[in-house]
Structure formats: structure tokens, C-alpha cells
Amino acid sequence: MTKDEVLEQASALKVDVVRLQFTDILGIVKNVTIPVKSLPMAFDGGMMFDGSSIEGFVRIEESDMYLKPDPDTFAILPTNQSGVTARLMCDIINPDGSPFAGCPRSVLKQVIRDAQALGYNILVAPEPEFFLFEGSEARTTDEAGYFDLSPGDMGEEVRRDIVVAMESMGYEIEATHHEVSPGQHEIDFPYSDALFCADTLMTFRVVARLVARQQGFQATFMPKPLAGVNGSGLHFHQRLMSAEGNAFYDPKQPNDVSRTALRYISGIMAHAPALTAITNPLINSYKRLVPGYEAPVYIAWSMGNRSPMVRVPRGRGANTDIELRSPDPSCNPYLALAVTIRAGLDGLKHRHELPSPVSRNIYRLSEAERRELGIDRLPEDLEAALDALESDRVVWDALGDFIAQRFVEAKRLEWDVYRHEVHQWELDQYLRVY
């Protein structure tokens, strides 16, 4: 899409207003709405906003920022309001036209260019999970389980309408189903390039909440909203594509898995603790990363086994890929993909030691058995993950000093507030005993 093509489509579709959307460092979608007549001005770089008002961006004396719409992201939003509303995803640029160091979308673009310089394009297929609750409370819509359908799955129609809404915006859906926990759902997207994948996930979070609210439900991407059941993950399937095809496939190697794939996995595992701060950015994220609820807890990889952090799914041949299972849907997908890809590329460069794949259920191994196999644990809380991020130069550099410093500052403040709070569990556990 070009600027002129977008303007033609906007006219043909009788668009009234356009939402210029961008993402802050913490992964929250921000929005500036303009009348369609202002769209040419926006494309010509005239849409300024106050960056000092956005969490983690700039100080007030450095506040002028500009939005640069990406024509390829033009789509009609499925609102139930009168008139036609379009959407464009934007990069954030400085007044001189250079990329703003705090723009997550630009960070991912740079990592993609780094991969292309090595001769690779990155394809990603995400599997986001989410919960549907009734009203504004954490009250589940059903008691259904994995792959169940109505009447047990009371959210089936909402899920269907989310799919229809996404398809109306031009997005493909690969599959959708009820997940293991009550009120939990999954919608899977096909492979696309990494930037399109991140844009898709940001769009999906907006659309899912919008459609759910229209039907009286609340969609949440909080990783662990309910105790005692599985939390929500965001699995990333990845492939590196070269001029010869899928670089993760090699029929001359065992299991059809190339040395390139193994080196890529070695990089992800070497930087796993630091990655976790970005892929699992909430205090609540670490209540999902506990044994017994299918989420990976240990830094290991496998050929099909789902208990490790990374696995190579059994469908091999030209479709060989890897699946990173630890991220959750609260992450900023631009930053999560940027640090994951950069870690994998670091594995290609430095060929980190890769232990043997684990075929056993890691949750059932004793601590001594895990030590013998060299299996370490992912960070157990946000503070430990932030410590790992600050000591990992590769992951830090993937983010850039600007984003890394502000992300750590914001998250350490979040941890400090949580640490000082007295929670209901403590009152229930101790108040009448001590």
C-alpha cells in the first residue's frame, strides 16, 4: 500500500475518522483520532504529539514527537458506532525525521534488518491465549475445557465474532478453540513476517476487547487471572528463511533439524533469564510460570516434549520450526520478538553450548536429576528477571539504552509497590493466627 492508495481506499469506503495507533514501552496501545481530511497531513509528517505525556518516553523539555503512519496497516475497525473508522499503525519519529529511540516498532525493525544482513527473514506464527469473563469481575463464562464446544463453551460465539472481526480487517486466522481453563480461549494466526506478527497481536488485543465488550464480556490478556488453573501463554513459532528456503530444515541432519536451528535455540537458551523480563513483564506473569500448570518453568529444549521452554514440533520436513513457549500475552510483542530474535541470532554467531534435548517430563524430575541434566530454572519473579536483564548485554542492546533503562525503572517501581502492599492472602493466612 502507498499513501495515495490509502487515500483512495479511505474515500471509496467513506471513512469518517482515522485512528493513528502506536505502542508505548510497556505494550499499551495509544491512539490519536483525526478526521479523514487530515490524513494527507499525517502522511506528510504533520501529526505531532506530546511525548512527555506518554509513560517512559521523554522529559517535558524534549516532548515534541511525530507519528509516521505505515500505509500497509490501513484497515477498517469493527466498531458498532455510526460512521466508518479506519486504523493505521504508526512509528514514532523525532522532529528531524529520525526514528525515536523509544519506539518499540522501530526496535523490532532494526533487529529484522540485522537478520536480513545475515541473509535471513524471520517468520513468526503466534498462539495467543486469553480469558473471557462475565461483566467486570473475574467470573468465568463457562466450565468448559480443552477443545470443548457449546453449551459448555459459553464464549464460543464471542470467539467466533472476534475471528470474523479480524478477518474483516484482512487478517487470516489459522484455528480457534477453547483452552484448558474455564473461560480460557486461544486464537492462532498463520506465519507472517515478524513486524506483521507484532502488528497483528496489538490489533488482536484491541479487537478482542472491543468485540467482547459489545457482547457484555470482558476479554483479558492478564497471564494468571485465576488461581488453581492454567494461565494464558503466547507461544511463538519461528522460522528463519534464507534464499534456499527454510534454514531450520536440513534432511541430512538428525530429525531434519539443521545446525542453524540448533544454534538459534542455543542463543535463546543462553539469554533466557534476561529475555523473560520482556516476554513475561508483569508481577502476575510469574504466577503462571510455576510447575503443574503446563507453562514452562525450566530452561531446556525438546523434540516434541511440551514441558521445556523451547521445543521443535514433530511436523518436520520443509515445515520445521521452533516453538518458544514461555512468553505470555501481556508482553509488548515488538520488544518480545526483538529480544527473542536477537538472542537467536547471537546463537548463530557465538554457537553457545546446547545441551541434549529433554524427552522426559521435566516437572516430574527431582532437583538432583535436573542438576545432573544441567537444567536451570527461569526467573521465579519479576525482580530476578530484571536483574538478569541488567546483566545481559545482548538483550539490553537489542532494546537500546533508552528503552531498556526506562523499562527497568518502571518495572522496579512496580515491584517495589507490590512488595510494600499487604495482600488479602496475608490477612487470611496470618491475621487470626499471630
Side-chain angles (χ1 to χ4, degrees), residues 11 16 45 75 90 110 116 131 144 175 190 199 331 347-348 364 377 385-386 408 432:
S11 176
D16 298 289
C90 299
Q110 181 58 55
Q116 290 172 339
F131 280 85
D199 286 342
C331 71
L348 301 186
R364 295 181 180 176
R377 184 174 178 137
L386 293 172
V408 169
R432 292 176 179 81

Side-chain angles (χ1 to χ4, degrees), residues 279-299:
T279 60
N280 307 82
L282 305 185
I283 290 168
N284 181 258
S285 296
Y286 298 85
K287 297 184 178 182
R288 169 182 167 257
L289 297 179
V290 294
Y293 296 99
E294 295 191 11
V297 178
Y298 302 103
I299 303 171

